[in-house]
Amino acid sequence: MTSPVWARRRAAAGRVWREFAANRGGLVGVVVLGLFVLTAILAPLLISESSLDVTRATGQRLESPSGDFPLGTDENGLSVLTLTLWGTRLSLVVGLAAAVLSVLIGTTVGILAGHFGGWLSAVLLRFTDFFLIMPSLVLAIALSAVLEGGAGTIILAIGVVSWPTSARLVRAQTLAVEARPYIERARALGGGHGHVIFKHVLPSVLPLVFVNTTLAVGTAIVAESTLRFLGLGSTSEITWGGLLRSASSSGAITYGAWWYLLPPGIAIVLLVLAFTLVGRALETVLNPKLRERR
Amino acid sequence: MTPVLELRDLRVTYAGGHEAVRGVDLTLRSGQTLGLAGESGCGKSSLAMSVLRLLPKDATVSGEILLDGADTRTMSWGRLRAVRWASASIVFQGAMHALNPVRRIGQQIAEPILLHATSPPDEVDARVAELLAQVELPPEKAQAYPHELSGGQKQRVMIAMALACRPRLVIADEPTTALDVIVQAQVLRLLTRLVSEHGIGLVMISHDLSVLGSVCERLAVMYEGEIVELGTAPTVVHDPQHAHTQALAAAFPTVGDPASRYAPATTNPAGLPPRVVPEAGEPLLRTESLRVDFRDRGGGWTHAVRDVNLEVGRGEIVALVGQSGSGKTTLARTVLGLQQPTSGQVLFEGRPLPRGGRALRDYRRQAQLVLQDPSSALNPRHSVYEAIAEGLRIHRMPGDERALVAAALEAAELRPAQRFMPVLPHQLSGGQRQRVVIAGALALRPRLLVADEPVASLDASVRGEILALLLRLRAELGLAALVITHDLGLAWNIADRVAVMYRGELVEVGDVEQVLLEPRHEYTRSLLAALPEVAAPA
Amino acid sequence: MTDFLAPVEETIAEAPPPQRGGGAVRYLLTKVGGAIMSVLMVVVLGFFLFRVMPGDPVTIMTRGRPVSGAQLDQLRAEHGFDQPILVQFWNYLVGLLHGDFGNSYAFNAPAGAIIGERLGPTLLLSGTAAVLAAALGLWLGAKTAWYRNGPLDRASTGVALVFWSIPPWWLGVVLLMIAGGVFPTGGMQSPDSPTALVPHALDVAHHMVLPVFTLVLAIYGQYQLVMRASLLEEMNSDYLTTARAKGLRDDMVRRRHALPNALLPTTTLVFLHLGMVVSGAITVEAVYSWPGLGQLTAEALEAKDLPLLQGIFIVLVIAVVIMNLVADVLLRVLDPRVRAS
């Protein structure tokens, strides 16, 4: 019995990929994303520890681009190119981890609030609405200011404040699925809560969750860089947001040191845009409502 | 005199090559009424929409569409806009969605009047009131929003809107499909009266031959994009020639016709089983003064089911008849333990229904549910095999799963079983899907089937086949059934006894012949009177 | 027969045409109740959020500074951190009721007063930006949906996605670098700002150009994308076919029928996303040294001034809660469908 099921799943995956590949934006996003992931993996091989060490800096303060330093130097005389490449690692990891954390919380809350009615749902909804309208950055600032610490704190802060969007989406989808007569049929067959949630609701919610995670990574990366820019998180970690903070506090703006201010920012925009493009492309393929619309 | 509408060799082809309409010729003279019958996908709606050029962009239309002698297919856009609604208007299917939710009824009726300037601007309000009066709605309703009206009222508004510019032709696309029998009768009577009073040509589209026959002088039957039969209503309904028309006609039996008693239309070689007399003795299912109340949004109580005492014997088929909102679905859900009663109890084989846990799960193996719309009653991601095995797995039924699934498919007459197992629901036809739902229920070897409008969403030609299957299952397996329906013809076709439900109460219960032929309660009589009637051929 | 049947439809299918007056009052009460709940939750959260760490806020505030044990004790006593947590909570609640947010550690002044001073500039900046961004986003969203997949749609949806991906503060930094010579680079007014009303307003407006421009670019994209999606969804509705069948021109079908339906839910979303505008404003203010709550947040963070942060947090969230309440009430007035449910 497993073989036809797997054949069907393979065929479905193939179909999704073909539809996805027809979306030019999504394809570009995948390529850009691939380059960033490659950079993150290869960074330790290409860059020696010493080139990140302030005490062993070889360049002058805020040197403009040259053969030695293709993107110039920072206020400590370190290569901006090297720092930016290295920054990819934390930005990717923190963005992914925070997005997964937030979608995980959101999905759990969404399914529980959608499946179980009554007071549980009412309480969960109240919470979701509250967090939804909250200026999440303000809460994340407060959280990471209190907790102090490095990347872990930032992941926690972003994850804990950004789940309501996915909770709302997942709840709506859960309600839509639960209103389908096949859920009534499953109940009439004798299926309990676990059966309905795991056999019917979860499989139909998963594509949506996947899309949502992809889109959430972009938001998380922006949030991370913002927190870093405001001086939160550990200063010993090299991140794009952190680089931009040092740049603006070392007078790079008035100095006109575009080589220091632009690369980390462009990297953020490209990575976020890549995730967004992939997410939107996936959305048109996986979200049945959008597909019907086309 | 030029006909109001003349179609010559009309063809509609959609992108992808699907030919929805294949060479239709029709003529309608002023004041004539024509019914267009056919099953879903036969091209009748494409035909209707092509008249005012309202088809989606990917549709190619060829042939001639002469509206008052002018071809709308080749008209300039400006001319076409002037013709739309002023010469011909449409009563759309599903008034629910055809009205703009955020604009008042009055504004929506007035819009075409102002646009085509068929009444002077200062008389528009009066005209709207007049139109509302014509469809028997109070003038205050002009201030209402669509969601504040009932389904029947919305359909009346649609009719008022269609008459707004005094058109020569009205096209009504399934105007009563979502409505209850009695409301349907009211709307049909209204439409017939207005059309004849104003001498308007009417093209009415429906899947229900008897509805068309009760309103229209002539009937055209469409099948796979072509008109296969055309004639006066009485001859087409009572003396159909084409095989497809015969199937359509048989799908809506005349209550009281002995030929269709215990004999739904079927072409299945298995035929109809011999008549079964249900065993006497203790009933399989019994409800004792069952009440179900809901708290409604306003904080008040809705009494969905009030003091219902109903019995279903072993191997007996009972039809529960009523219109929507009568509480019949709530009663069914309570019988299955999907809804807790407020008071009273349900007894199965003399024992009260367990309220939860393992005992309730065991009960649910005995009583199975068949839902109205099979396309949504099956999880689109689960194959036929998984759908049928779902119940087996929940109840950990002993035995080889594959063999049990195969047996269930065989019992529901999906043969060969092997071929259906890996198939996904959307690859099946409506009738096959309903058989899968039935097979899923049969796999648990239940004693009782609760079927909620089991054929309401199926095409006419499939309807008889599913009903015949229920009769054969009763004969072969001794399966009892509680069939919930709004369709008296269905009760006449298969049920032993019938229970009529009205506002939560059972107003009349008895043998089918007795209740349907000699109704005692006023409500039953009005239900019977609301059935569309087609005059006998001259 | 008819007399028997007439009431059937009236009572069953049409049962509750809600009594408008009663419905409105209940709706308002529910929404106000919800807002009050939210404010209470903020108040509770505001207290415990800043006390989740082991130790106490004083330890965090003085982290990395040379402070003696005696000084720490003195600080604790000053801020009341030496009392049991429930007593602290009680004092905090009583204080809030009197508009007392505690004392700022860095400014050595009541936090409430400092926040009050900075509230106006933030409202001015984020309000202006929100209105402009909503207008631009909704207009572009409607245009792109009408001409979907056309050159305008492709280009402007792409641009919206790019701006949406840019952190607002970085956009501010870049604009500052490009246009810093033309427009003032910081503050809300010149040191020698004229005192007369109109010239003063012009001076402030001049200072506002860059921050508002940055904020608008950062947030309009979201509105455009939502408006586009919502209008596309409406474009398949049956009532648009009705409108076309009536003989309306395509642009009238859109303007009279599609747009009002798409606009209402989108407007709600604009209000729901006010939190986002505030978040953007915080960082943009920090870049342009706009003397509002955002810059104050940055200063409080630098100084690790927890009482001040706590106050800012509570004030900002309450402001957003109130704006949402306004939005809910407004939507009910505007959208008959909301009145129904």
Side-chain angles (χ1 to χ4, degrees), chain A residues 91-109 154-156 158-164 166-167 170 206 209-221 275:
Chain A
S91 291
L92 255 183
V93 169
V94 173
L96 277 171
V100 168
L101 178 64
S102 102
V103 173
L104 219 58
I105 302 176
T107 307
T108 314
V109 172
I154 296 216
I155 292 173
L156 191 71
I158 298 175
V160 163
V161 301
S162 56
W163 57 268
S166 42
V170 168
L206 274 182
V209 168
F210 187 56
V211 168
N212 211 245
T213 315
T214 318
L215 290 171
V217 180
T219 325
I221 290 170
F275 272 111

Side-chain angles (χ1 to χ4, degrees), chain B residues 37-38 44 174 184 205-213 248 252 532:
Chain B
K44 56 189 195 301
E174 302 267 11
Q184 164 176 300
I205 295 169
S206 176
H207 65 284
D208 187 334
L209 213 52
S210 50
V211 163
L212 290 178
L248 278 182
F252 301 97

Side-chain angles (χ1 to χ4, degrees), chain C residues 5-29:
Chain C
L5 295 174
V8 175
E9 193 190 337
E10 293 299 318
T11 49
I12 293 179
E14 201 214 4
Q19 288 150 1
R20 286 201 184 164
V25 170
R26 201 171 46 244
Y27 180 86
L28 200 66
L29 284 180

Side-chain angles (χ1 to χ4, degrees), chain B residues 244-260:
Chain B
H244 183 70
T245 319
Q246 286 166 357
L248 278 182
F252 301 97
T254 315
V255 170
D257 175 8
S260 55

Side-chain angles (χ1 to χ4, degrees), chain C residues 102-215:
Chain C
N103 271 328
S104 160
Y105 170 80
F107 290 79
N108 206 8
I114 304 171
I115 293 170
E117 256 168 51
R118 305 288 194 101
L119 195 58
T122 293
L123 286 180
L124 180 65
L125 175 64
S126 43
T128 314
V131 169
L132 290 178
L136 179 68
L138 298 187
W139 181 72
L140 276 174
K143 277 269 175 256
T144 50
W146 292 350
Y147 304 107
R148 92 185 111 166
N149 294 334
L152 175 81
D153 179 26
R154 281 172 197 282
S156 105
T157 305
V159 170
L161 278 177
V162 171
F163 277 119
W164 186 75
S165 306
I166 301 179
W169 46 271
W170 183 69
L171 190 62
V173 167
V174 173
L175 284 175
L176 204 56
M177 213 162 48
I178 297 171
V182 189
F183 292 102
T185 53
M188 191 169 136
Q189 51 190 318
S190 319
D192 53 349
S193 183
T195 43
L197 185 67
V198 173
H200 179 72
L202 283 177
D203 185 43
V204 172
H206 193 215
H207 280 79
M208 271 174 78
V209 172
L210 280 185
V212 165
F213 189 55
T214 310
L215 205 47

